[in-house]
Amino acid sequence: MAWPRPPGASVAPLAGGFGARLQLDGQSYEIRYGPGQDFETPEDFFAPCRAALREPCEEMLRVVEALGVLESLQLDAHGTLRVALPFCGSMQELPILAHFLATRCSGRQGVAKISILASDVQDWAPLGGYWKQKETYVKRWYPHMDLKFCQLDLHALRHPPSSLTFAFHPECTVHRDLWRRILHNVISASAVCIVCTFNDEERKVVLGVCQDLGRQAQCQRNPYYANSKQNGTTPPFLNFLILVR
Ligand SMILES: C[S@@+](CC[C@H](N)C(=O)[O-])C[C@H]1O[C@@H](n2cnc3c(N)ncnc32)[C@H](O)[C@@H]1O
């Protein structure tokens, strides 16, 4: 199998490039390096998102679209859609989100550019987060999108304003007061925020913050988990979805 390229991206004939193989989800992926190939150099490589994360993520994004989230997004004066990925960790699902935003938002309803700010209190780049490589990937494949990873302590700082936020897996039942503050600093800065939690207890904490902020919240379980699936993770990735408007 080829490395999952953004749809529409054509494969340049392999001229002077070289390849490698990767085993993932029982599949063997061929990775090509060189001009016009999957990655320019081996230093740009990061592994594709494994199915156990990709599938619930794709299902969650289908729900987001079906709920009409993309129909009235706020843009800045230059037609830029500001997307936030707070407490993002390694952001393994980045290629799926980038593809979703590019195919569902780019060029629609005045969206000229998509600017993504991904942040975490911890620098995940040296921890297998491949932050630099993911920035390079977006720059390479999506001309109307930019991605920047940075360290932000969202307990101390309010997130910069964003039109659309994907806030996945707040650890809000562990240090509740700390995470209430973080969620407050994220949700209050976002016109539309999609928070996903592993479990119902976390969902309730998120709803409490929305209530304190006077924001409307709509909850749904990820339909991916309605059927018994062979690929789920423990705890279930993106299990509950809370749409905050
Ligand atoms: C459960 S992980 C979720 C990571 C990622 N969103 C995911 O779904 O895999 C929680 C993340 O919150 C980050 N975090 C903890 N305290 C934070 C803070 N004060 N500001 C920003 N991020 C924080 C942690 O470093 C960690 O990456």
Side-chain angles (χ1 to χ4, degrees):
M1 265 174 87
W3 203 94
R5 278 167 174 254
S10 56
V11 187
L14 192 56
F18 57 96
R21 286 208 164 267
L22 169 80
Q23 298 292 331
L24 187 79
D25 294 328
Q27 306 268 16
S28 176
Y29 286 90
E30 186 190 343
I31 302 142
R32 292 171 164 210
Y33 300 109
Q37 301 300 325
D38 301 318
F39 298 97
E40 201 75 33
T41 70
E43 288 71 40
D44 296 328
F45 170 79
F46 61 95
C49 189
R50 58 199 173 94
L53 308 185
R54 190 190 68 242
E55 290 171 359
C57 186
E58 288 171 344
E59 195 64 44
M60 180 277 296
L61 292 171
R62 272 192 278 277
V63 172
V64 166
E65 195 173 9
L67 289 171
V69 171
L70 309 178
E71 278 154 31
S72 51
L73 292 170
Q74 290 180 4
L75 307 179
D76 73 9
H78 307 287
T80 303
L81 175 69
R82 300 212 170 271
V83 178
L85 308 176
F87 47 88
C88 66
S90 63
M91 212 357 98
Q92 293 178 68
E93 62 279 26
L94 187 271
I96 297 147
L97 279 175
H99 170 60
F100 173 79
L101 292 168
T103 53
R104 306 303 199 283
C105 303
S106 252
R108 294 191 188 178
Q109 298 183 38
V111 178
K113 190 182 160 195
I114 298 173
S115 189
I116 307 174
L117 180 66
S119 65
D120 198 286
V121 72
Q122 201 165 9
D123 180 3
W124 279 79
L127 305 173
Y130 295 93
W131 280 5
K132 264 271 154 289
Q133 289 83 346
K134 285 167 187 166
E135 286 176 354
T136 304
Y137 169 85
V138 164
K139 192 171 175 183
R140 193 156 182 249
W141 295 113
Y142 297 105
H144 303 294
M145 189 182 290
D146 68 59
L147 165 68
K148 176 155 181 48
F149 281 97
C150 70
Q151 277 182 270
L152 267 187
D153 179 355
L154 293 167
H155 181 249
L157 292 172
R158 188 167 181 256
H159 195 284
S162 77
S163 320
L164 177 62
T165 296
F166 293 96
F168 296 160
H169 305 128
E171 295 175 304
C172 53
T173 52
V174 183
H175 303 289
R176 283 184 186 236
D177 288 342
L178 181 135
W179 274 95
R180 274 201 198 99
R181 186 79 224 148
I182 294 174
L183 286 165
H184 185 286
N185 281 339
V186 167
I187 294 170
S188 65
S190 182
V192 177
C193 185
I194 293 121
V195 188
C196 290
T197 67
F198 290 121
N199 62 50
D200 198 43
E201 273 308 297
E202 293 163 344
R203 182 188 69 87
K204 286 177 188 159
V205 177
V206 176
L207 284 183
V209 175
C210 295
Q211 200 167 14
D212 291 348
L213 285 166
R215 297 286 294 268
Q216 278 188 352
Q218 199 174 342
C219 299
Q220 186 169 333
R221 186 139 191 249
N222 189 334
Y224 179 78
Y225 297 105
N227 310 317
S228 59
K229 293 277 181 180
Q230 62 280 28
N231 272 326
T233 56
T234 307
F237 189 71
L238 307 175
N239 191 11
F240 288 94
L241 181 154
I242 304 118
L243 167 62
V244 190
R245 299 196 221 223

